[in-house]
PDB file of all heavy atoms in Angstrom:
ATOM      1  N   PHE N  13      66.735  54.771 112.172  1.00 49.00           N
ATOM      2  CA  PHE N  13      66.141  56.083 111.913  1.00 49.00           C
ATOM      3  C   PHE N  13      64.634  56.038 112.100  1.00 49.00           C
ATOM      4  O   PHE N  13      64.013  56.925 112.715  1.00 49.00           O
ATOM      5  CB  PHE N  13      66.515  56.527 110.496  1.00 49.00           C
ATOM      6  CG  PHE N  13      66.055  57.903 110.167  1.00 49.00           C
ATOM      7  CD1 PHE N  13      66.513  59.000 110.890  1.00 49.00           C
ATOM      8  CD2 PHE N  13      65.165  58.122 109.135  1.00 49.00           C
ATOM      9  CE1 PHE N  13      66.099  60.272 110.588  1.00 49.00           C
ATOM     10  CE2 PHE N  13      64.740  59.410 108.821  1.00 49.00           C
ATOM     11  CZ  PHE N  13      65.209  60.487 109.554  1.00 49.00           C
ATOM     12  N   MET N  14      64.021  54.958 111.636  1.00 48.00           N
ATOM     13  CA  MET N  14      62.566  54.843 111.746  1.00 48.00           C
ATOM     14  C   MET N  14      62.159  54.734 113.211  1.00 48.00           C
ATOM     15  O   MET N  14      61.156  55.293 113.636  1.00 48.00           O
ATOM     16  CB  MET N  14      62.075  53.622 110.986  1.00 48.00           C
ATOM     17  CG  MET N  14      62.176  53.803 109.489  1.00 48.00           C
ATOM     18  SD  MET N  14      61.460  52.460 108.545  1.00 48.00           S
ATOM     19  CE  MET N  14      62.034  51.042 109.363  1.00 48.00           C
ATOM     20  N   ALA N  15      62.963  53.982 113.992  1.00 46.00           N
ATOM     21  CA  ALA N  15      62.620  53.813 115.396  1.00 46.00           C
ATOM     22  C   ALA N  15      62.637  55.154 116.114  1.00 46.00           C
ATOM     23  O   ALA N  15      61.714  55.479 116.871  1.00 46.00           O
ATOM     24  CB  ALA N  15      63.609  52.854 116.044  1.00 46.00           C
ATOM     25  N   VAL N  16      63.658  55.938 115.846  1.00 43.00           N
ATOM     26  CA  VAL N  16      63.776  57.246 116.508  1.00 43.00           C
ATOM     27  C   VAL N  16      62.644  58.164 116.073  1.00 43.00           C
ATOM     28  O   VAL N  16      61.948  58.764 116.892  1.00 43.00           O
ATOM     29  CB  VAL N  16      65.139  57.879 116.173  1.00 43.00           C
ATOM     30  CG1 VAL N  16      65.185  59.329 116.646  1.00 43.00           C
ATOM     31  CG2 VAL N  16      66.257  57.067 116.804  1.00 43.00           C
ATOM     32  N   THR N  17      62.428  58.241 114.767  1.00 45.00           N
ATOM     33  CA  THR N  17      61.440  59.183 114.275  1.00 45.00           C
ATOM     34  C   THR N  17      60.022  58.755 114.609  1.00 45.00           C
ATOM     35  O   THR N  17      59.147  59.591 114.820  1.00 45.00           O
ATOM     36  CB  THR N  17      61.556  59.334 112.756  1.00 45.00           C
ATOM     37  OG1 THR N  17      61.477  58.037 112.157  1.00 45.00           O
ATOM     38  CG2 THR N  17      62.874  60.007 112.385  1.00 45.00           C
ATOM     39  N   SER N  18      59.770  57.456 114.716  1.00 45.00           N
ATOM     40  CA  SER N  18      58.407  57.033 115.042  1.00 45.00           C
ATOM     41  C   SER N  18      58.069  57.388 116.485  1.00 45.00           C
ATOM     42  O   SER N  18      56.932  57.707 116.805  1.00 45.00           O
ATOM     43  CB  SER N  18      58.241  55.533 114.804  1.00 45.00           C
ATOM     44  OG  SER N  18      59.104  54.826 115.652  1.00 45.00           O
ATOM     45  N   ILE N  19      59.074  57.328 117.376  1.00 42.00           N
ATOM     46  CA  ILE N  19      58.838  57.737 118.767  1.00 42.00           C
ATOM     47  C   ILE N  19      58.556  59.238 118.823  1.00 42.00           C
ATOM     48  O   ILE N  19      57.617  59.698 119.470  1.00 42.00           O
ATOM     49  CB  ILE N  19      60.051  57.364 119.653  1.00 42.00           C
ATOM     50  CG1 ILE N  19      60.154  55.848 119.738  1.00 42.00           C
ATOM     51  CG2 ILE N  19      59.947  57.985 121.013  1.00 42.00           C
ATOM     52  CD1 ILE N  19      61.471  55.349 120.294  1.00 42.00           C
ATOM     53  N   GLN N  20      59.347  60.002 118.085  1.00 43.00           N
ATOM     54  CA  GLN N  20      59.160  61.453 118.093  1.00 43.00           C
ATOM     55  C   GLN N  20      57.788  61.851 117.571  1.00 43.00           C
ATOM     56  O   GLN N  20      57.194  62.815 118.036  1.00 43.00           O
ATOM     57  CB  GLN N  20      60.241  62.116 117.209  1.00 43.00           C
ATOM     58  CG  GLN N  20      61.625  62.045 117.830  1.00 43.00           C
ATOM     59  CD  GLN N  20      62.678  62.539 116.876  1.00 43.00           C
ATOM     60  OE1 GLN N  20      62.438  62.626 115.670  1.00 43.00           O
ATOM     61  NE2 GLN N  20      63.833  62.875 117.403  1.00 43.00           N
ATOM     62  N   GLY N  21      57.280  61.115 116.598  1.00 41.00           N
ATOM     63  CA  GLY N  21      56.044  61.526 115.954  1.00 41.00           C
ATOM     64  C   GLY N  21      54.832  60.762 116.428  1.00 41.00           C
ATOM     65  O   GLY N  21      53.797  60.775 115.804  1.00 41.00           O
ATOM     66  N   ALA N  22      54.961  60.083 117.563  1.00 40.00           N
ATOM     67  CA  ALA N  22      53.905  59.179 117.981  1.00 40.00           C
ATOM     68  C   ALA N  22      52.603  59.866 118.347  1.00 40.00           C
ATOM     69  O   ALA N  22      51.556  59.268 118.301  1.00 40.00           O
ATOM     70  CB  ALA N  22      54.397  58.350 119.167  1.00 40.00           C
ATOM     71  N   ASP N  23      52.662  61.135 118.679  1.00 39.00           N
ATOM     72  CA  ASP N  23      51.438  61.807 119.093  1.00 39.00           C
ATOM     73  C   ASP N  23      50.740  62.522 117.927  1.00 39.00           C
ATOM     74  O   ASP N  23      49.757  63.199 118.106  1.00 39.00           O
ATOM     75  CB  ASP N  23      51.759  62.830 120.195  1.00 39.00           C
ATOM     76  CG  ASP N  23      52.754  63.869 119.727  1.00 39.00           C
ATOM     77  OD1 ASP N  23      53.474  63.581 118.736  1.00 39.00           O
ATOM     78  OD2 ASP N  23      52.796  64.940 120.339  1.00 39.00           O
ATOM     79  N   LYS N  24      51.261  62.395 116.751  1.00 40.00           N
ATOM     80  CA  LYS N  24      50.662  63.097 115.613  1.00 40.00           C
ATOM     81  C   LYS N  24      49.622  62.212 114.921  1.00 40.00           C
ATOM     82  O   LYS N  24      49.684  60.993 114.993  1.00 40.00           O
ATOM     83  CB  LYS N  24      51.745  63.502 114.607  1.00 40.00           C
ATOM     84  CG  LYS N  24      52.754  64.461 115.212  1.00 40.00           C
ATOM     85  CD  LYS N  24      53.743  64.884 114.173  1.00 40.00           C
ATOM     86  CE  LYS N  24      54.854  65.717 114.813  1.00 40.00           C
ATOM     87  NZ  LYS N  24      54.347  66.907 115.459  1.00 40.00           N
ATOM     88  N   TYR N  25      48.687  62.879 114.293  1.00 46.00           N
ATOM     89  CA  TYR N  25      47.631  62.180 113.605  1.00 46.00           C
ATOM     90  C   TYR N  25      48.193  61.329 112.480  1.00 46.00           C
ATOM     91  O   TYR N  25      48.953  61.783 111.639  1.00 46.00           O
ATOM     92  CB  TYR N  25      46.652  63.233 113.044  1.00 46.00           C
ATOM     93  CG  TYR N  25      45.486  62.642 112.284  1.00 46.00           C
ATOM     94  CD1 TYR N  25      44.524  61.913 112.955  1.00 46.00           C
ATOM     95  CD2 TYR N  25      45.395  62.824 110.914  1.00 46.00           C
ATOM     96  CE1 TYR N  25      43.463  61.383 112.268  1.00 46.00           C
ATOM     97  CE2 TYR N  25      44.320  62.302 110.212  1.00 46.00           C
ATOM     98  CZ  TYR N  25      43.369  61.572 110.898  1.00 46.00           C
ATOM     99  OH  TYR N  25      42.303  61.045 110.209  1.00 46.00           O
ATOM    100  N   HIS N  26      47.836  60.062 112.493  1.00 58.00           N
ATOM    101  CA  HIS N  26      48.316  59.114 111.480  1.00 58.00           C
ATOM    102  C   HIS N  26      49.833  59.142 111.333  1.00 58.00           C
ATOM    103  O   HIS N  26      50.353  59.120 110.238  1.00 58.00           O
ATOM    104  CB  HIS N  26      47.683  59.424 110.111  1.00 58.00           C
ATOM    105  CG  HIS N  26      46.298  58.916 109.998  1.00 58.00           C
ATOM    106  ND1 HIS N  26      45.507  59.174 108.897  1.00 58.00           N
ATOM    107  CD2 HIS N  26      45.537  58.151 110.834  1.00 58.00           C
ATOM    108  CE1 HIS N  26      44.320  58.608 109.043  1.00 58.00           C
ATOM    109  NE2 HIS N  26      44.316  57.996 110.224  1.00 58.00           N
ATOM    110  N   SER N  27      50.505  59.177 112.462  1.00 78.00           N
ATOM    111  CA  SER N  27      51.959  59.294 112.388  1.00 78.00           C
ATOM    112  C   SER N  27      52.605  58.032 111.853  1.00 78.00           C
ATOM    113  O   SER N  27      53.686  58.080 111.306  1.00 78.00           O
ATOM    114  CB  SER N  27      52.524  59.649 113.749  1.00 78.00           C
ATOM    115  OG  SER N  27      52.220  58.603 114.648  1.00 78.00           O
ATOM    116  N   GLN N  28      51.971  56.910 112.058  1.00 87.00           N
ATOM    117  CA  GLN N  28      52.537  55.664 111.547  1.00 87.00           C
ATOM    118  C   GLN N  28      51.451  54.854 110.867  1.00 87.00           C
ATOM    119  O   GLN N  28      50.389  54.631 111.453  1.00 87.00           O
ATOM    120  CB  GLN N  28      53.122  54.836 112.684  1.00 87.00           C
ATOM    121  CG  GLN N  28      54.204  55.534 113.463  1.00 87.00           C
ATOM    122  CD  GLN N  28      54.559  54.746 114.709  1.00 87.00           C
ATOM    123  OE1 GLN N  28      54.868  53.573 114.641  1.00 87.00           O
ATOM    124  NE2 GLN N  28      54.497  55.403 115.844  1.00 87.00           N
ATOM    125  N   THR N  29      51.715  54.431 109.687  1.00 90.00           N
ATOM    126  CA  THR N  29      50.797  53.535 108.995  1.00 90.00           C
ATOM    127  C   THR N  29      51.616  52.503 108.222  1.00 90.00           C
ATOM    128  O   THR N  29      52.800  52.725 107.948  1.00 90.00           O
ATOM    129  CB  THR N  29      49.886  54.261 107.984  1.00 90.00           C
ATOM    130  OG1 THR N  29      50.723  54.895 107.011  1.00 90.00           O
ATOM    131  CG2 THR N  29      49.002  55.285 108.655  1.00 90.00           C
ATOM    132  N   ILE N  30      50.975  51.410 107.930  1.00 95.00           N
ATOM    133  CA  ILE N  30      51.591  50.467 107.017  1.00 95.00           C
ATOM    134  C   ILE N  30      50.617  50.275 105.863  1.00 95.00           C
ATOM    135  O   ILE N  30      49.429  50.672 105.963  1.00 95.00           O
ATOM    136  CB  ILE N  30      51.890  49.105 107.682  1.00 95.00           C
ATOM    137  CG1 ILE N  30      50.607  48.520 108.277  1.00 95.00           C
ATOM    138  CG2 ILE N  30      52.968  49.263 108.737  1.00 95.00           C
ATOM    139  CD1 ILE N  30      50.761  47.075 108.708  1.00 95.00           C
ATOM    140  N   GLY N  31      51.084  49.698 104.781  1.00 96.00           N
ATOM    141  CA  GLY N  31      50.195  49.560 103.654  1.00 96.00           C
ATOM    142  C   GLY N  31      50.782  48.738 102.520  1.00 96.00           C
ATOM    143  O   GLY N  31      51.882  48.201 102.608  1.00 96.00           O
ATOM    144  N   LEU N  32      50.019  48.687 101.469  1.00 98.00           N
ATOM    145  CA  LEU N  32      50.402  47.960 100.257  1.00 98.00           C
ATOM    146  C   LEU N  32      50.400  48.918  99.091  1.00 98.00           C
ATOM    147  O   LEU N  32      49.696  49.926  99.097  1.00 98.00           O
ATOM    148  CB  LEU N  32      49.417  46.820  99.977  1.00 98.00           C
ATOM    149  CG  LEU N  32      49.234  45.759 101.062  1.00 98.00           C
ATOM    150  CD1 LEU N  32      48.094  44.814 100.662  1.00 98.00           C
ATOM    151  CD2 LEU N  32      50.527  44.984 101.252  1.00 98.00           C
ATOM    152  N   GLN N  33      51.162  48.596  98.090  1.00 98.00           N
ATOM    153  CA  GLN N  33      51.141  49.407  96.882  1.00 98.00           C
ATOM    154  C   GLN N  33      51.171  48.529  95.642  1.00 98.00           C
ATOM    155  O   GLN N  33      51.685  47.403  95.676  1.00 98.00           O
ATOM    156  CB  GLN N  33      52.290  50.418  96.844  1.00 98.00           C
ATOM    157  CG  GLN N  33      53.678  49.824  96.736  1.00 98.00           C
ATOM    158  CD  GLN N  33      54.303  49.601  98.113  1.00 98.00           C
ATOM    159  OE1 GLN N  33      53.603  49.501  99.120  1.00 98.00           O
ATOM    160  NE2 GLN N  33      55.624  49.520  98.154  1.00 98.00           N
ATOM    161  N   MET N  34      50.614  49.083  94.585  1.00 98.00           N
ATOM    162  CA  MET N  34      50.611  48.418  93.286  1.00 98.00           C
ATOM    163  C   MET N  34      50.841  49.505  92.243  1.00 98.00           C
ATOM    164  O   MET N  34      50.309  50.601  92.365  1.00 98.00           O
ATOM    165  CB  MET N  34      49.270  47.727  93.043  1.00 98.00           C
ATOM    166  CG  MET N  34      49.236  46.900  91.784  1.00 98.00           C
ATOM    167  SD  MET N  34      47.748  45.878  91.692  1.00 98.00           S
ATOM    168  CE  MET N  34      46.527  47.115  91.297  1.00 98.00           C
ATOM    169  N   ALA N  35      51.626  49.190  91.231  1.00 98.00           N
ATOM    170  CA  ALA N  35      51.928  50.217  90.231  1.00 98.00           C
ATOM    171  C   ALA N  35      52.215  49.579  88.880  1.00 98.00           C
ATOM    172  O   ALA N  35      52.538  48.392  88.780  1.00 98.00           O
ATOM    173  CB  ALA N  35      53.145  51.043  90.682  1.00 98.00           C
ATOM    174  N   VAL N  36      52.096  50.394  87.870  1.00 98.00           N
ATOM    175  CA  VAL N  36      52.550  50.007  86.524  1.00 98.00           C
ATOM    176  C   VAL N  36      53.891  50.701  86.320  1.00 98.00           C
ATOM    177  O   VAL N  36      54.023  51.902  86.556  1.00 98.00           O
ATOM    178  CB  VAL N  36      51.536  50.454  85.453  1.00 98.00           C
ATOM    179  CG1 VAL N  36      52.046  50.059  84.068  1.00 98.00           C
ATOM    180  CG2 VAL N  36      50.187  49.825  85.722  1.00 98.00           C
ATOM    181  N   VAL N  37      54.880  49.915  85.890  1.00 98.00           N
ATOM    182  CA  VAL N  37      56.242  50.421  85.760  1.00 98.00           C
ATOM    183  C   VAL N  37      56.637  50.420  84.291  1.00 98.00           C
ATOM    184  O   VAL N  37      56.521  49.392  83.599  1.00 98.00           O
ATOM    185  CB  VAL N  37      57.231  49.567  86.570  1.00 98.00           C
ATOM    186  CG1 VAL N  37      58.642  50.135  86.475  1.00 98.00           C
ATOM    187  CG2 VAL N  37      56.792  49.473  88.023  1.00 98.00           C
ATOM    188  N   PHE N  38      57.122  51.566  83.834  1.00 97.00           N
ATOM    189  CA  PHE N  38      57.539  51.702  82.434  1.00 97.00           C
ATOM    190  C   PHE N  38      59.070  51.806  82.384  1.00 97.00           C
ATOM    191  O   PHE N  38      59.636  52.703  83.013  1.00 97.00           O
ATOM    192  CB  PHE N  38      56.926  52.970  81.810  1.00 97.00           C
ATOM    193  CG  PHE N  38      55.428  52.982  81.856  1.00 97.00           C
ATOM    194  CD1 PHE N  38      54.757  53.526  82.958  1.00 97.00           C
ATOM    195  CD2 PHE N  38      54.690  52.468  80.817  1.00 97.00           C
ATOM    196  CE1 PHE N  38      53.375  53.558  83.008  1.00 97.00           C
ATOM    197  CE2 PHE N  38      53.306  52.488  80.854  1.00 97.00           C
ATOM    198  CZ  PHE N  38      52.644  53.033  81.950  1.00 97.00           C
ATOM    199  N   PRO N  39      59.725  50.922  81.634  1.00 96.00           N
ATOM    200  CA  PRO N  39      61.160  51.094  81.453  1.00 96.00           C
ATOM    201  C   PRO N  39      61.403  52.289  80.540  1.00 96.00           C
ATOM    202  O   PRO N  39      60.847  52.358  79.450  1.00 96.00           O
ATOM    203  CB  PRO N  39      61.610  49.782  80.801  1.00 96.00           C
ATOM    204  CG  PRO N  39      60.392  49.185  80.217  1.00 96.00           C
ATOM    205  CD  PRO N  39      59.212  49.722  80.957  1.00 96.00           C
ATOM    206  N   THR N  40      62.212  53.247  80.976  1.00 96.00           N
ATOM    207  CA  THR N  40      62.389  54.462  80.174  1.00 96.00           C
ATOM    208  C   THR N  40      63.758  54.579  79.525  1.00 96.00           C
ATOM    209  O   THR N  40      63.904  55.291  78.549  1.00 96.00           O
ATOM    210  CB  THR N  40      62.165  55.717  81.045  1.00 96.00           C
ATOM    211  OG1 THR N  40      63.051  55.655  82.164  1.00 96.00           O
ATOM    212  CG2 THR N  40      60.728  55.773  81.542  1.00 96.00           C
ATOM    213  N   SER N  41      64.760  53.894  80.055  1.00 94.00           N
ATOM    214  CA  SER N  41      66.082  53.958  79.398  1.00 94.00           C
ATOM    215  C   SER N  41      66.101  52.951  78.251  1.00 94.00           C
ATOM    216  O   SER N  41      65.495  51.878  78.338  1.00 94.00           O
ATOM    217  CB  SER N  41      67.197  53.694  80.393  1.00 94.00           C
ATOM    218  OG  SER N  41      66.931  52.520  81.112  1.00 94.00           O
ATOM    219  N   PRO N  42      66.812  53.285  77.169  1.00 92.00           N
ATOM    220  CA  PRO N  42      66.739  52.447  75.947  1.00 92.00           C
ATOM    221  C   PRO N  42      67.140  50.993  76.190  1.00 92.00           C
ATOM    222  O   PRO N  42      66.466  50.080  75.684  1.00 92.00           O
ATOM    223  CB  PRO N  42      67.707  53.150  74.997  1.00 92.00           C
ATOM    224  CG  PRO N  42      67.741  54.563  75.462  1.00 92.00           C
ATOM    225  CD  PRO N  42      67.586  54.512  76.941  1.00 92.00           C
ATOM    226  N   ASP N  43      68.217  50.774  76.924  1.00 91.00           N
ATOM    227  CA  ASP N  43      68.667  49.393  77.095  1.00 91.00           C
ATOM    228  C   ASP N  43      67.664  48.561  77.889  1.00 91.00           C
ATOM    229  O   ASP N  43      67.367  47.426  77.549  1.00 91.00           O
ATOM    230  CB  ASP N  43      70.038  49.389  77.803  1.00 91.00           C
ATOM    231  CG  ASP N  43      70.710  48.043  77.695  1.00 91.00           C
ATOM    232  OD1 ASP N  43      70.363  47.150  78.497  1.00 91.00           O
ATOM    233  OD2 ASP N  43      71.534  47.875  76.802  1.00 91.00           O
ATOM    234  N   LEU N  44      67.143  49.169  78.937  1.00 94.00           N
ATOM    235  CA  LEU N  44      66.149  48.441  79.733  1.00 94.00           C
ATOM    236  C   LEU N  44      64.870  48.216  78.929  1.00 94.00           C
ATOM    237  O   LEU N  44      64.214  47.181  79.077  1.00 94.00           O
ATOM    238  CB  LEU N  44      65.839  49.220  81.024  1.00 94.00           C
ATOM    239  CG  LEU N  44      64.920  48.519  82.017  1.00 94.00           C
ATOM    240  CD1 LEU N  44      65.521  47.197  82.496  1.00 94.00           C
ATOM    241  CD2 LEU N  44      64.617  49.399  83.205  1.00 94.00           C
ATOM    242  N   ARG N  45      64.540  49.194  78.079  1.00 93.00           N
ATOM    243  CA  ARG N  45      63.343  49.032  77.244  1.00 93.00           C
ATOM    244  C   ARG N  45      63.517  47.850  76.295  1.00 93.00           C
ATOM    245  O   ARG N  45      62.577  47.095  76.039  1.00 93.00           O
ATOM    246  CB  ARG N  45      63.094  50.321  76.472  1.00 93.00           C
ATOM    247  CG  ARG N  45      61.634  50.641  76.338  1.00 93.00           C
ATOM    248  CD  ARG N  45      61.346  52.079  75.968  1.00 93.00           C
ATOM    249  NE  ARG N  45      62.292  52.711  75.120  1.00 93.00           N
ATOM    250  CZ  ARG N  45      62.809  53.911  75.328  1.00 93.00           C
ATOM    251  NH1 ARG N  45      62.460  54.594  76.386  1.00 93.00           N
ATOM    252  NH2 ARG N  45      63.675  54.436  74.491  1.00 93.00           N
ATOM    253  N   LEU N  46      64.746  47.672  75.745  1.00 92.00           N
ATOM    254  CA  LEU N  46      64.996  46.545  74.849  1.00 92.00           C
ATOM    255  C   LEU N  46      64.931  45.218  75.593  1.00 92.00           C
ATOM    256  O   LEU N  46      64.427  44.222  75.072  1.00 92.00           O
ATOM    257  CB  LEU N  46      66.395  46.683  74.236  1.00 92.00           C
ATOM    258  CG  LEU N  46      66.542  47.593  73.030  1.00 92.00           C
ATOM    259  CD1 LEU N  46      67.998  47.727  72.648  1.00 92.00           C
ATOM    260  CD2 LEU N  46      65.744  47.036  71.853  1.00 92.00           C
ATOM    261  N   THR N  47      65.447  45.208  76.808  1.00 94.00           N
ATOM    262  CA  THR N  47      65.539  43.955  77.545  1.00 94.00           C
ATOM    263  C   THR N  47      64.229  43.598  78.239  1.00 94.00           C
ATOM    264  O   THR N  47      63.836  42.432  78.277  1.00 94.00           O
ATOM    265  CB  THR N  47      66.676  44.046  78.601  1.00 94.00           C
ATOM    266  OG1 THR N  47      67.855  44.478  77.931  1.00 94.00           O
ATOM    267  CG2 THR N  47      66.925  42.705  79.249  1.00 94.00           C
ATOM    268  N   ALA N  48      63.580  44.602  78.823  1.00 94.00           N
ATOM    269  CA  ALA N  48      62.348  44.331  79.577  1.00 94.00           C
ATOM    270  C   ALA N  48      61.111  44.390  78.704  1.00 94.00           C
ATOM    271  O   ALA N  48      60.111  43.750  79.001  1.00 94.00           O
ATOM    272  CB  ALA N  48      62.226  45.340  80.709  1.00 94.00           C
ATOM    273  N   GLY N  49      61.186  45.160  77.630  1.00 89.00           N
ATOM    274  CA  GLY N  49      60.057  45.233  76.722  1.00 89.00           C
ATOM    275  C   GLY N  49      58.908  46.045  77.273  1.00 89.00           C
ATOM    276  O   GLY N  49      59.055  47.229  77.547  1.00 89.00           O
ATOM    277  N   SER N  50      57.819  45.384  77.488  1.00 88.00           N
ATOM    278  CA  SER N  50      56.575  46.062  77.829  1.00 88.00           C
ATOM    279  C   SER N  50      56.572  46.498  79.306  1.00 88.00           C
ATOM    280  O   SER N  50      57.408  46.098  80.089  1.00 88.00           O
ATOM    281  CB  SER N  50      55.405  45.128  77.573  1.00 88.00           C
ATOM    282  OG  SER N  50      55.667  43.909  78.219  1.00 88.00           O
TER     283      SER N  50
END
Side-chain angles (χ1 to χ4, degrees):
Chain N
F13 185 61
M14 289 185 317
V16 171
T17 55
S18 62
I19 293 167
Q20 289 173 342
D23 59 339
K24 298 183 187 301
Y25 180 68
H26 281 175
S27 62
Q28 301 171 53
T29 60
I30 57 169
L32 301 173
Q33 66 268 22
M34 186 170 74
V36 179
V37 182
F38 302 89
T40 56
S41 50
D43 194 278
L44 185 60
R45 217 162 34 228
L46 277 174
T47 308
S50 52

